[in-house]
Amino acid sequence: MDFSIIVVVVVAALVFDFTNGFHDTANAMATSIATGALRPKLAVLIAGVMNLVGVFVSVQVAKTISDGLVDEARITPVVIFAGLVGAILWNLLTWLFGLPSSSSHALFGGLIGATWVAAGVDAIQFGQLLSKILLPALLSPILAGVVALTATLLAYRITARAGRATVSSGFRIGQIVSASMVALAHGTNDAQKTMGVITLALITAGTLPTDAGPPLWVILTAGLSIALGTYVGGWRIIRTLGKRVTEIQTAQGFAAEVSSAAVILASSNLGFALSTTQVATGSIFGAGAGRRLASVRWGVAGQMALSWLVTLPAAAAAGAVAAYTACLGTIGVVIVAVVGVALAAGIYARSRRQPVTAENVNDTPAATPVAANV
């Protein structure tokens, strides 16, 4: 096995990890930024640090990816590279439109599409796909939403007789802790996926045994990549979750973050490679519905649900096309790499026409009127 393709796969995996970081910063920090509990740049710094800490908590999700999603004996690092290209491009496209789609499902879709083309449908472990990925994808946002709704109702009832300023100040402090826990949980789940992909590539190349876990250097580099991406800040998606879903108050933000952290940490411990984006979004909708007469923008919910439904098949299609091309040989890999870089550059250039930054992230887009604060 040519060592250079292993290097290419590792680099592509770390690039995906970086996009995963800024794509999913909103999961931990959107509500804290929206309520003013944390200043935007401080929030992403805390999130990045906690992401890095989180990667050392567990490797169960990494093992789910490296040993169970596809038959590693029937694919090569080239196939994994093609899957990563599909995932990266979908992440960037949904980031451009501010849609909090699942980076996890983009990764799974890219790998599945590439494997299907290169090794056939029977190389995909559909039992693992159903039990460890699809079922958690369906159940986790509902569970997180119910928990957040209940927590919000309790928070408002418990503090009903307290002064509004005191309540707001107390929950604002609590949000610093709860948001940090979500960022930690994100590191235990999403960073693990890149660790699993790199480990899978090393297994297919024969440099690691079949049942190996991720080496320390893989854990460290994956953690640093997602932490750096998180620090960059996915401001477009932070604005969507913090301002377009509902008007978040500090009690709701605290309830949403605690609910997200609990669901993600429990799932990571069980090895479920769930979508932290879907969990965080479900929590925000639950917290929004839990405040009396709160205005939840269900049209935005519909847009998000549609993006969730198409993420896995869209990334699979991109991965399949990339795999078909990459499997032509060295020239195929070069073509996929060049086209991928060109498309990524084009998406970034398009984003600069209407930039969203730390300075304007809390501005509500003109197309989405702000509901009266109840």
Side-chain angles (χ1 to χ4, degrees):
M1 178 60 62
D2 189 351
F3 177 74
S4 60
I5 190 60
I6 300 297
V7 174
V8 169
V9 171
V10 171
V11 171
L14 295 178
V15 169
F16 168 78
D17 207 23
F18 179 83
T19 67
N20 191 350
F22 72 72
H23 199 282
D24 291 3
T25 308
N27 297 350
M29 293 301 171
T31 54
S32 293
I33 292 172
T35 62
L38 288 168
R39 296 191 306 277
K41 290 186 177 180
L42 176 60
V44 297
L45 175 60
I46 293 173
V49 172
M50 296 306 291
N51 268 194
L52 181 57
V53 174
V55 304
F56 295 98
V57 173
S58 169
V59 294
Q60 294 305 312
V61 174
K63 290 181 178 179
T64 295
I65 305 301
S66 65
D67 183 23
L69 183 59
V70 297
D71 185 350
E72 65 273 6
R74 300 181 53 187
I75 62 173
T76 65
V78 171
V79 176
I80 298 172
F81 168 69
L84 285 166
V85 170
I88 291 168
L89 291 176
W90 184 254
N91 258 6
L92 291 174
L93 185 63
T94 50
W95 162 77
L96 174 65
F97 292 104
L99 289 173
S101 68
S102 171
S103 297
S104 305
H105 293 168
L107 176 60
F108 303 146
L111 288 175
I112 289 169
T115 299
W116 195 321
V117 166
V121 65
D122 55 339
I124 302 166
Q125 308 288 356
F126 284 101
Q128 284 282 77
L129 176 64
L130 178 64
S131 64
K132 292 293 184 74
I133 296 171
L134 294 183
L135 283 179
L138 292 173
L139 297 177
S140 60
I142 297 173
L143 176 61
V146 171
V147 173
L149 186 150
T150 304
T152 301
L153 291 173
L154 287 173
Y156 279 116
R157 176 160 300 209
I158 292 170
T159 61
R161 296 185 179 181
R164 175 169 293 189
T166 301
V167 171
S168 179
S169 176
F171 278 119
R172 192 170 279 120
I173 294 171
Q175 274 197 273
I176 297 173
V177 178
S178 58
S180 298
M181 289 303 298
V182 178
L184 176 74
H186 184 259
T188 69
N189 204 282
D190 276 44
Q192 304 284 322
K193 294 155 192 169
T194 297
M195 290 158 48
V197 168
I198 295 176
T199 303
L200 177 62
L202 296 174
I203 290 172
T204 60
T207 58
L208 286 177
T210 302
D211 58 349
L216 179 60
W217 71 267
V218 172
I219 296 173
L220 184 60
T221 53
L224 290 171
S225 294
I226 199 168
L228 182 59
T230 300
Y231 178 68
V232 168
W235 305 112
R236 307 176 87 84
I237 300 176
I238 289 174
R239 173 187 281 183
T240 296
L241 287 183
K243 285 295 182 182
R244 293 187 61 207
V245 170
T246 184
E247 287 299 297
I248 292 288
Q249 294 184 348
T250 54
Q252 294 169 284
F254 178 77
E257 290 161 358
V258 169
S259 302
S260 296
V263 172
I264 296 169
L265 286 171
S267 299
S268 297
N269 187 55
L270 296 171
F272 292 143
L274 52 68
S275 166
T276 56
T277 298
Q278 292 180 2
V279 171
T281 305
S283 294
I284 291 172
F285 275 104
R291 179 162 62 90
R292 190 177 183 183
L293 300 179
S295 175
V296 175
R297 300 180 179 100
W298 297 108
V300 177
Q303 294 173 10
M304 292 181 186
L306 180 61
S307 75
W308 294 351
L309 287 175
V310 303
T311 288
L312 200 147
V321 172
Y324 181 82
T325 306
C327 288
L328 297 176
T330 302
I331 185 64
V333 173
V334 172
I335 291 172
V336 170
V338 171
V339 171
V341 170
L343 290 173
I347 292 171
Y348 177 76
R350 176 66 180 80
S351 75
R352 302 316 300 162
R353 296 182 186 178
Q354 293 178 309
V356 181
T357 66
E359 285 69 37
N360 66 3
V361 68
N362 276 336
D363 295 345
T364 303
T368 308
V370 182
N373 197 22
V374 179

